[in-house]
Every structure is written in C-alpha cells, then in structure tokens.
Amino acid sequence: MEAASSDMALNADYGQALALVRAKSVDDVVATMRFAYDHALPVVPQGAMTGINGGANAIDGCILLSVRAMDRVLDIDATNHTVTVEPGIINADLKKTLAEQNLAYPPDPGSMAISSIGGNIATNAGGLCCVKYGVTRDYVREIKVVLPDGTLTRLGRKTAKGVAGLDLCSLFVGSEGTLGVIVEATLEVIALPPEPLTAVATFPTEHEAAATVSAYMATGLRPSLLEFLDGITINLLNNFGDFGLDDSVGAMLIMQSDAPTAASDVERFTEIAEENGALDVAFSDNTADNEALIATRRCVQPANELYARSHGGGQLIEDICIPRSAMPEFFDGLAEIRKETHTTIAVVAHAGDGNTHPSIFYDAKDPQSRAHAEEAFEQILDLGLRLGGTITGEHGIGSVKARWLTKELDEGSRRLHREIKNAVDPLGIANPGKMLGAL
Amino acid sequence: MEAASSDMALNADYGQALALVRAKSVDDVVATMRFAYDHALPVVPQGAMTGINGGANAIDGCILLSVRAMDRVLDIDATNHTVTVEPGIINADLKKTLAEQNLAYPPDPGSMAISSIGGNIATNAGGLCCVKYGVTRDYVREIKVVLPDGTLTRLGRKTAKGVAGLDLCSLFVGSEGTLGVIVEATLEVIALPPEPLTAVATFPTEHEAAATVSAYMATGLRPSLLEFLDGITINLLNNFGDFGLDDSVGAMLIMQSDAPTAASDVERFTEIAEENGALDVAFSDNTADNEALIATRRCVQPANELYARSHGGGQLIEDICIPRSAMPEFFDGLAEIRKETHTTIAVVAHAGDGNTHPSIFYDAKDPQSRAHAEEAFEQILDLGLRLGGTITGEHGIGSVKARWLTKELDEGSRRLHREIKNAVDPLGIANPGKMLGAL
Ligand SMILES: Cc1cc2nc3c(=O)[nH]c(=O)nc-3n(C[C@H](O)[C@H](O)[C@H](O)COP(=O)(O)OP(=O)(O)OC[C@H]3O[C@@H](n4cnc5c(N)ncnc54)[C@H](O)[C@@H]3O)c2cc1C
Ligand SMILES: Cc1cc2nc3c(=O)[nH]c(=O)nc-3n(C[C@H](O)[C@H](O)[C@H](O)COP(=O)(O)OP(=O)(O)OC[C@H]3O[C@@H](n4cnc5c(N)ncnc54)[C@H](O)[C@@H]3O)c2cc1C
C-alpha cells in the first residue's frame, strides 16, 4: 500500500491510506464507491501513477481505487474510426494495437509508455503531437463513469457530433478524479499518419528559438511536433546518455511535419530559423534517426531526474502555457528569476503550443535551497499568469498547485467550481483536497 | 416584442414576454440579470434568432435578453491565431473581417450569414466543414459569461492548451442559455484554407451514396465537405431556383477537399463512388462553379420552406447523428416510416459526420396530417437512437426536443444534469423549460 500511495511528483506529500482496491471490473468500482459513499470515506482514483502533481496520492483514511488492471480493448470500429477501452490500458499499448489496423490514437504524453488512458482522460493529457493533433479531450467521445454515490452513467456519445444536453463528458475530462471514476471510454481514432520529416535547428540563445517558433506558427503551417530544449537541458541529456548533441548552443528546436507538404514545410521552417538567427539547421527523412532523436527528447525527464539525484534530489516541474508570442519575454523573466533565487532551471517546451516545462532543481536536504526553489516556482507561476498564460498546460493541478488555482480563476469561476463539485459530490469523497481543495 | 418572441422553428410554441432588453454592453447584461435574479424573473438569452428548436422563444413572463447589438470585434491576434469578439457578431461578418488578414474561423452552420457567434457557441453549432475542421466547441478558448445572479466570470483560457480547473468553458458551450449569458468569446482561428476541389456524384438510390460515404471516410482521408442530398431534396431545389440539377437520380453527394492532396483525394473519391454504383461523377476546380454549387446546397432550407408553404406550411426538421456505417440501415428505416405514416420526408445530410436532417412536411391546418408528421418525427428519433445515434447532432434541444432528451440520457446522466443546472441556476431563471426542462 505504501508503494501505491504516491505518484511521480518528487515534492508532493501523501497520507496514510485505509485500503487499496484493485478493481477488475465496473462492478468492482461500483461496489467500492457505494461502500465509500455509505461510510463517507474518501476515494482516490488511480491509473498508472505517473502523474507529477500528487493527484493520485493517498490522503489519510482514504480508499485507493486503482483501475489499472481494467485494461482491455473492448471494441475497435475501423469503419467509424472509434475504439472502446477500459481505463487501465497503457497509452502506448493502445497505440500498438491500433497500428496493426493502420489506425492511430494521437495523444502522446511524454509518459505514453507508462501512463493509462483513464489517467490521460482524467488529466486531459497533452504531449508532443498536440500542436497538430490536439489534446486528449479532442478524442474522447463517450465515457462511462461511476459517480461518487456508485451510480454508473454514460456521458457524451459515440457519433462524430452531438449536442444532446450539457457537455458533461468534457466536464469529466481533466477533472482529476474529483467528480467520479472513469471506467470506460470510446475514443476517436484516425488513420495512421505517415512518417514525418524532421528538422533540428540550434540557436545562440533561447530568444532566437522562441522568435522562430512564433514566426513559424504564425504562418498557419501545422508541424506535427515542435519541441524546444534550452542549453542546460541539452547538457543534462548528454550527461544522461551518449547522445552527442551540440551542447555549446543556447537552445535547440526539433520540428517535424507529417503533412503531404512536409518537404516544403521543413524548408520554410529552415528559412524562418535562419532569418531569426539560427546557428545551424539540419534535416532528415531517415526514420531510424528521427525516432532516435525523439526518443532522446523523451529522455529529458529521466535526464533531469539523474541530475536532480546527484544534486540533492529536489526537482519542481512547471507547466506554464503562454501565448507563443510571449515566449521571448518569458525567457527574460526566467533569467531574472534564476539570478534572484540562485536556482538552476532547465527548460523544455512543447513550443508550438507555448507550453513550457521549466525544471527547478534543489537540494532536498537543504531548507534554504528548497525555499529558493519554491520561491522560483511561485515567481514562474506569477510570470506565466502575467503574460496571459495558465499555471498548467497539461500536467494538471493535483495537490501541488491547488493553492495556485485560486490565483488563476476569478471569484465567479471559483464559486462555480465549488458549486458544481458540491452538486456532483455532496459528501466530498471523490479525491478530496486535490485540484479544487483550496477553492 | 412579438417579433422578438420566436426563432425560426416552424412548430415551436412561444409565450408572452414581459420585456425585451437589447443589451449594448456587458454592464447591460449584468444589470438585467441582477434585476431578474432579484425578482426571480425568467430570462431568455437571444442571439440572432435563427435557431430551429424554439430555444430562444419567449416564455410567459420572461425578459427577452438580446445581445445581438453587441457585435464588435475586440481583438485580432494574428500571431497567436486568436480573435476576441462580442457575442452578437454574425458568423459571416467575422469570417469576412478575418479573411482580410488571411485568417479563418472555420465553423460554418448553414445559417452562417444570419446567425450570431454567441448563438453558435450556445448551441455548439456544426455546419458543412466540421467533417474536417470540427465544431464550434473546438474553436472556443475562453468565454466571459454572466451567471444567473449577475456575476461576470471568465471561463477557459486564451492559450493553446490549459487544464487549470474543471472545463467549465466547454460546459457552457452548447448550454442553450440555460446556465447564463455569453458576453464575450476568444476563438481560435486558422490560416485561410486554399480553394477546394469539388466532386459531385449521383446515385440510383440513397444506399449507394451512403455506402460511398462510409467507405470513403474509412480510408482516413478528410474531405473538407461531404454533403448528401436525396432525390426529393434535389427536386425541391430545382423547384426553388433554376439550378438545373439532375433530379431523376435517387441521391447526390457533394465532396470537397482543400488538402494539398486534393487532386488525388478527389480521384480516390471518384473510384470509391464508382465501385459503389455511382451513376455519374463530375469534378471541378472552377471556384465560381464550386461556390455556386455550395450556395445551391445552402438553399436546401429555403427550398424546403417554399415547398412547405405551398403544402400547408408544416415542416419538422430532424437532426439525427448516427455512426456513418449505419446510414444504409437508417435509409431503410426511413422508407418504412414514410410508408407507415404517409408523410413526405426529404433528407439532406452532413454525411461525412453521419449527421442527417430529414424534413417532414405536413399540412399545419390538418390535425391528421400534423399527427402523422409528429408520429414520423418520433419514429425517426427512435430509429436514430436504435442505431447508436443521438437525437441532435448540431441543432440542439430547445423546447422542441426537451421531452426526447430524457430518452437519450440514462438516469444517472439526467440526475447529473439536474444537479448541475440547479447548482449554477438555483432560482431556475436561465431559459427555464428549454433543453433541460423535461429532465
Ligand atoms: C516522464 C513523464 C513525462 C510526462 N509527460 C507528460 C506530457 O507530455 N503531457 C502530460 O499531459 N502529462 C505528462 N506527464 C504526467 C502524467 O503522465 C499524465 O498526467 C498522465 O495522464 C497520468 O496518467 P496516469 O494513468 O499515470 O494517472 P495517475 O497518475 O494514476 O492519475 C492522475 C490523476 O487522474 C486521476 N485518475 C486516474 N485514473 C482515473 C480514472 N480512471 N478515473 C478518474 N480519475 C482518474 C487520479 O486521481 C489523479 O488525479 C508525464 C509524466 C512523467 C513521469
Ligand atoms: C437556414 C438555417 C440553416 C441552419 N443550419 C445550421 C447548421 O448547419 N448547423 C447548426 O448547428 N445549426 C444550424 N441552424 C440553426 C441555428 O442557426 C444555429 O443553432 C445557430 O447557432 C443559432 O444562432 P443564433 O445567433 O441565431 O441563436 P438564437 O437562435 O438566438 O439562440 C439559440 C440558442 O442559444 C441561446 N443563446 C443565444 N445567444 C446566447 C448568448 N449570447 N448567451 C447564452 N445563450 C445564448 C438561446 O437562448 C437559444 O437557446 C440553421 C438554421 C437555419 C435557419
């Protein structure tokens, strides 16, 4: 139970659970929720526990309700392009099954090899391809959920369109277990996209890279991936693996296009990068090379963790999403914050969406170092809000940012949140304290 | 006030309003809602009154609150691809303003020349291009709404992604005025798409056309438009205008592609149509011809109305959305219903999405004719649900289908709807009776 009490956040507390239920069926979930409701016990829904905000962490006296073992594909409808699954299935496993039929479920969080579809839905997970393909919510047509009192209900619809009633399906997408438990989902799928072309551009500082992103996206061309890595991140990657990246540069962009116009898209990207001061632009249509590069990109978090472990173990991960045009200003602000708080901050970003992930490192055994990191964390959230952004583009609120949610939402919205939570979960047993806990 | 008391539904009742407010500003809306709240008066939000389900119709003793005069573009952000508007702006006017900057707001309901963005959001309007570009909800990033007690709040966020809190923005999209009044919206826009290529295929019966749609969509190619017209509709069009369509055929498909692969897409469509028994396939890259054809398609409702007027005035418009593969079965069912209820039913469909609009004609002065039409209406809704569809793909529930919503939603969902409505609007003054009225 201890092992099942915390997700992958390095800085989130967790409590002492009462019990762990490993549901094998919808009936198990219904029975658990009925029991919890009858005894007014808090329930923490759990998928694969890869969250990084403490959302799935135990709270004192709770029932941990894992749906990870409910991982079947129930139906693939290749004609209508939908798939129906249980919530525990791992994102990458679903992708593999679909690929056999030339189909794809696009959402690809960095954690796709280890996170569950139910968790993806409960956090409205983003990823690398959303710049072209959208986020999890864009693919969820219908869900079955077990409400806090144990009622099983169907929300949304299986068809391509539908407006019968309020959009309660979207209300549950991204609700982080605070409204009920997702026990089944029908997702839209698409034809497997072709292999992308890839371009890699390096820049003297973050500024030129940010300007390139803003200018390229303003053309209206849709890359299928547009990732940013700052110099520190590149160094940490080289330390982690034998990647041989040029770590003398200030920033790097990885751009992919899987459009029929990929060749000219990559050319246009090259032009714009060069106009904006790129040091070097290379491109490749070699699938193995490209996959290796993206695999390297997916190593950023392990590389960061390795660095953190050898520097006192602390890491706070931000998830600020800002208008793309505000990125240069964001990096200026970040430089100030680094100086003021004496912190090391590495930045990786789903740049095409303006979704940045600064990682703040600290020595977990040194209270002053931790205080500095926390100060930097707060200042970055403030900076993001000031630039017209949000405190979380994809990772969610969990317990780590619950207090901050009150800053982003205005009074009317906070009240609406409370009223709706209370209407759906009058006893307050669905993942209490998480996300909405400070409102 | 009488003129402002009913939308474009031919068969919806309306009541006697107390007052009509033509809001010119957010403050006007706030003041109106506060007054209504203090006096527990029902309020009916109104846009351009083009709805066809009675959603904006007066109810006895209500305040009609029109935001049609709030029609300014507040901001166009060409770098970040967003536009901020007041709710009363007409969809086509916004499109025109954006086109000057090579930008586009895709959602294009048949009524785009006459319906408001606020109304489009409140109904989550669909249209012809959603088969490729999605529905209104996919473009709404942030809205400002005035809640039933007069509180002004901001929901959603301006950035490309964001998961801070529950997705209350989506909850208001499609809420048909039952949760509050939308007074501002920030919408995502895209680069103006290129002119499409167009193909027109004719078929002996609806069956071959439906099979073509199902097979073509299963390839994963995304047409930018894929419309179906049955033989009766083609005849009514020829009666309405001098269109010279071949009205001896059983059905017609209009297909467009604006993709870089448009030429090969159209070829593929032609092949599939021929494989499935098309009588004839023609295609064109002449912009004027193509626009004329789409304009003809947009005349279906006026043509239907002309027919209705000369046949006793009655028309019930359905909006069933089913899985695409169920369309052949749907047409079989429809043939049965025609026979059994002695009704004339013409069908047009956003076929790529499986969204069909059967129109049932009747003599409004003949109770038996009306009864037959209503019987057909009910049977078609039943048929749609039986085939795994929804009773409304895009037109919404309004007052006309309120009773039917109870059939589509299960008990848990109905309860959730009631609880959430009650939490947001405890006095029940926001468009009472509409959409949720029978739950
Ligand atoms: C290396 C790494 C990279 C990552 N990259 C990304 C990324 O690119 N984009 C991104 O969005 N996230 C990313 N994440 C965060 C995380 O993987 C996602 O939030 C993921 O969606 C969580 O899925 P899970 O199954 O692990 O959920 P969990 O961690 O088990 O739970 C997450 C939240 O959802 C709730 N929940 C889980 N399952 C259900 C259910 N069936 N019903 C109701 N509530 C449920 C939990 O209560 C909790 O609040 C990353 C994490 C790691 C470790
Ligand atoms: C010829 C014709 C073709 C059509 N084709 C389509 C189509 O292809 N796709 C489609 O989806 N619809 C279609 N419609 C239906 C209708 O045009 C749409 O529903 C449209 O979105 C309504 O916009 P409106 O401004 O006219 O809203 P109204 O009719 O004024 O109101 C519609 C509903 O929204 C509410 N509402 C309006 N404004 C606000 C606001 N600011 N805040 C809160 N609530 C509000 C009203 O209370 C009402 O419930 C068509 C209608 C006609 C007449």
Side-chain angles (χ1 to χ4, degrees):
Chain A
M1 222 153 75
E2 172 72 20
S5 286
S6 58
D7 66 11
M8 295 194 180
L10 293 181
N11 62 321
D13 299 329
Y14 60 92
Q16 180 64 49
L18 202 65
L20 166 63
V21 175
R22 296 190 201 272
K24 291 221 162 57
S25 67
V26 173
D27 284 348
D28 287 351
V29 176
V30 167
T32 306
M33 288 311 300
R34 279 210 190 125
F35 180 87
Y37 187 80
D38 287 345
H39 299 82
L41 292 172
V43 175
V44 178
Q46 298 186 324
M49 306 294 290
T50 72
I52 44 185
N53 60 29
N57 282 11
I59 52 179
D60 285 336
C62 78
I63 300 174
L64 300 171
L65 174 50
S66 172
V67 295
R68 176 65 186 86
M70 296 168 64
D71 62 358
R72 287 177 305 164
V73 174
L74 301 174
D75 178 57
I76 298 182
D77 183 339
T79 309
N80 294 302
H81 282 190
T82 58
V83 59
T84 301
V85 297
E86 290 185 326
I89 188 170
I90 296 298
N91 179 310
D93 292 343
L94 174 60
K95 281 191 168 62
K96 228 168 87 187
T97 305
L98 289 169
E100 287 161 16
Q101 307 204 21
N102 270 308
L103 296 172
Y105 169 72
D108 62 345
S111 58
M112 67 187 198
I114 48 174
S115 65
S116 75
I117 291 293
N120 292 173
I121 296 172
T123 59
N124 189 16
L128 280 59
C129 78
C130 15
V131 61
K132 174 168 178 178
Y133 290 100
V135 295
T136 300
R137 182 181 67 125
D138 299 318
Y139 294 87
V140 183
R141 290 213 178 152
E142 181 179 272
I143 51 176
K144 288 195 179 146
V145 300
V146 177
L147 299 175
D149 69 352
T151 302
L152 175 67
T153 180
R154 188 179 61 83
L155 305 173
R157 30 76 215 165
K158 287 207 168 62
T159 51
K161 293 159 67 185
V163 292
L166 299 171
D167 187 358
L168 299 188
C169 180
S170 290
L171 183 69
F172 275 73
V173 176
S175 62
E176 299 187 15
T178 64
L179 300 180
V181 188
I182 298 154
V183 293
E184 191 183 301
T186 297
L187 308 166
E188 184 172 327
V189 297
I190 64 172
L192 200 62
E195 291 300 329
L197 291 189
T198 304
V200 180
T202 53
F203 301 87
T205 76
E206 303 100 327
H207 266 258
E208 297 83 9
T212 299
V213 170
S214 183
Y216 185 70
M217 293 302 294
T219 63
L221 294 171
R222 290 275 173 113
S224 51
L225 178 147
L226 184 46
E227 294 289 308
F228 165 98
L229 293 78
D230 74 354
I232 307 178
T233 302
I234 298 169
N235 275 281
L236 298 188
L237 275 173
N238 275 345
N239 287 348
F240 177 74
D242 192 16
F243 298 132
L245 301 169
D246 179 356
D247 53 20
S248 69
V249 303
M252 176 192 270
L253 290 177
I254 307 174
M255 177 271 194
Q256 292 192 321
S257 172
D258 63 7
T261 54
S264 67
D265 290 3
V266 165
E267 242 170 75
R268 190 71 199 280
F269 176 77
T270 305
E271 276 167 30
I272 290 177
E274 281 169 352
E275 278 163 31
N276 282 282
L279 297 169
D280 183 54
V281 190
F283 46 86
S284 152
D285 59 1
N286 181 304
T287 302
D289 283 359
N290 293 347
E291 282 177 358
L293 182 69
I294 301 307
T296 305
R297 160 61 188 88
R298 288 191 190 272
C299 286
V300 165
Q301 182 47 20
N304 283 353
E305 265 181 57
L306 180 74
Y307 175 83
R309 263 191 228 118
S310 57
H311 289 77
Q315 182 195 7
L316 302 179
I317 305 177
E318 296 270 13
D319 177 34
I320 306 292
C321 192
I322 50 178
R324 290 183 295 261
S325 62
M327 276 199 287
E329 228 177 310
F330 183 73
F331 286 114
D332 288 342
L334 217 53
E336 283 294 311
I337 294 170
R338 277 197 192 93
K339 245 193 276 170
E340 217 176 283
T341 59
H342 314 285
T343 45
T344 299
I345 305 177
V347 184
V348 62
H350 308 307
D353 288 319
N355 191 182
T356 71
H357 294 313
S359 265
I360 310 160
F361 300 103
Y362 65 94
D363 182 347
K365 286 148 311 210
D366 174 356
Q368 208 200 336
S369 170
R370 181 173 184 132
H372 278 149
E374 279 169 359
E375 176 60 27
F377 189 79
E378 305 250 320
Q379 286 194 22
I380 293 171
L381 291 173
D382 254 337
L383 175 65
L385 288 178
R386 227 164 42 235
L387 294 174
T390 171
I391 59 171
T392 176
E394 56 178 22
H395 292 164
I397 299 291
S399 56
V400 168
K401 284 186 189 155
R403 202 165 44 84
W404 272 88
L405 187 58
T406 63
K407 285 221 191 182
E408 176 157 342
L409 305 180
D410 65 25
E411 204 189 304
S413 173
R414 292 199 299 271
R415 203 190 72 204
L416 263 188
H417 274 85
R418 285 195 306 267
E419 287 167 352
I420 288 170
K421 163 74 173 170
N422 194 42
V424 180
D425 179 24
L427 299 186
I429 58 173
N431 216 0
K434 311 297 174 56
M435 186 159 80
L436 310 173
L439 297 184
Chain B
M1 223 155 73
E2 171 72 18
S5 286
S6 59
D7 67 11
M8 294 191 179
L10 293 180
N11 61 320
D13 298 329
Y14 60 92
Q16 179 66 47
L18 203 64
L20 166 63
V21 175
R22 295 189 201 273
K24 292 221 161 55
S25 67
V26 173
D27 285 348
D28 287 351
V29 176
V30 168
T32 306
M33 289 310 299
R34 282 210 188 124
F35 181 87
Y37 188 79
D38 288 344
H39 298 82
L41 292 172
V43 175
V44 179
Q46 298 187 324
M49 307 292 290
T50 72
I52 44 186
N53 60 29
N57 283 11
I59 52 179
D60 284 336
C62 77
I63 300 175
L64 300 171
L65 174 49
S66 172
V67 295
R68 178 64 187 86
M70 296 170 63
D71 63 356
R72 287 177 306 165
V73 174
L74 300 174
D75 179 56
I76 298 181
D77 183 339
T79 309
N80 294 302
H81 282 189
T82 58
V83 59
T84 301
V85 297
E86 292 185 325
I89 188 170
I90 295 299
N91 178 310
D93 292 344
L94 174 60
K95 282 193 168 61
K96 227 168 89 187
T97 305
L98 288 169
E100 287 162 15
Q101 307 203 22
N102 270 308
L103 296 172
Y105 169 71
D108 62 345
S111 58
M112 67 185 197
I114 48 174
S115 65
S116 76
I117 291 293
N120 292 172
I121 296 172
T123 59
N124 189 18
L128 280 58
C129 78
C130 16
V131 60
K132 173 169 180 178
Y133 290 101
V135 294
T136 300
R137 181 181 69 126
D138 299 317
Y139 293 86
V140 182
R141 290 214 178 151
E142 182 179 271
I143 51 176
K144 289 195 178 143
V145 301
V146 177
L147 299 175
D149 70 351
T151 302
L152 176 67
T153 181
R154 187 179 63 82
L155 305 173
R157 31 73 214 169
K158 288 207 165 64
T159 50
K161 291 159 66 185
V163 293
L166 299 172
D167 188 359
L168 300 188
C169 180
S170 291
L171 184 67
F172 275 73
V173 176
S175 62
E176 300 189 13
T178 64
L179 300 179
V181 188
I182 298 154
V183 293
E184 192 183 301
T186 297
L187 308 166
E188 184 172 328
V189 297
I190 63 171
L192 200 62
E195 291 298 332
L197 291 189
T198 304
V200 181
T202 51
F203 302 86
T205 75
E206 302 100 325
H207 264 258
E208 297 82 11
T212 299
V213 169
S214 184
Y216 185 71
M217 293 302 294
T219 63
L221 295 171
R222 288 278 173 114
S224 50
L225 178 148
L226 183 47
E227 294 288 310
F228 166 96
L229 294 78
D230 73 354
I232 307 179
T233 302
I234 298 170
N235 274 281
L236 298 190
L237 275 172
N238 275 345
N239 287 349
F240 177 74
D242 192 13
F243 298 130
L245 301 169
D246 179 356
D247 52 22
S248 69
V249 302
M252 175 191 273
L253 289 178
I254 307 174
M255 176 273 194
Q256 292 192 321
S257 171
D258 62 8
T261 52
S264 66
D265 291 4
V266 165
E267 241 170 78
R268 189 74 198 279
F269 175 78
T270 305
E271 276 167 32
I272 290 177
E274 282 168 353
E275 278 163 31
N276 282 282
L279 297 169
D280 183 55
V281 189
F283 45 87
S284 153
D285 59 1
N286 181 305
T287 302
D289 282 0
N290 293 346
E291 284 177 356
L293 182 69
I294 302 305
T296 305
R297 159 61 187 88
R298 288 190 189 274
C299 287
V300 165
Q301 184 47 22
N304 284 351
E305 266 182 57
L306 181 73
Y307 176 83
R309 259 189 233 120
S310 57
H311 289 77
Q315 183 195 8
L316 301 180
I317 305 177
E318 295 272 11
D319 177 34
I320 306 293
C321 191
I322 50 177
R324 290 182 295 261
S325 62
M327 277 198 289
E329 228 177 310
F330 183 73
F331 286 115
D332 288 343
L334 218 54
E336 282 295 309
I337 294 171
R338 277 197 192 95
K339 245 192 275 169
E340 216 176 285
T341 61
H342 314 284
T343 45
T344 300
I345 305 177
V347 183
V348 63
H350 308 308
D353 288 319
N355 190 182
T356 69
H357 294 312
S359 266
I360 310 158
F361 300 102
Y362 64 96
D363 182 345
K365 288 148 310 213
D366 173 357
Q368 207 203 337
S369 168
R370 183 175 182 129
H372 278 148
E374 279 169 0
E375 177 59 27
F377 188 79
E378 305 249 321
Q379 287 194 21
I380 293 171
L381 291 173
D382 253 339
L383 174 65
L385 288 177
R386 226 164 40 235
L387 294 174
T390 171
I391 58 170
T392 175
E394 56 178 22
H395 293 165
I397 299 292
S399 56
V400 168
K401 284 184 190 157
R403 201 165 45 83
W404 271 86
L405 186 59
T406 63
K407 285 221 192 183
E408 176 156 343
L409 305 180
D410 65 26
E411 201 189 306
S413 173
R414 292 198 299 270
R415 203 191 71 204
L416 262 187
H417 274 85
R418 286 194 306 266
E419 287 168 350
I420 288 171
K421 163 73 173 173
N422 195 43
V424 180
D425 178 24
L427 299 187
I429 59 174
N431 216 2
K434 309 298 172 57
M435 188 160 77
L436 310 173
L439 298 185

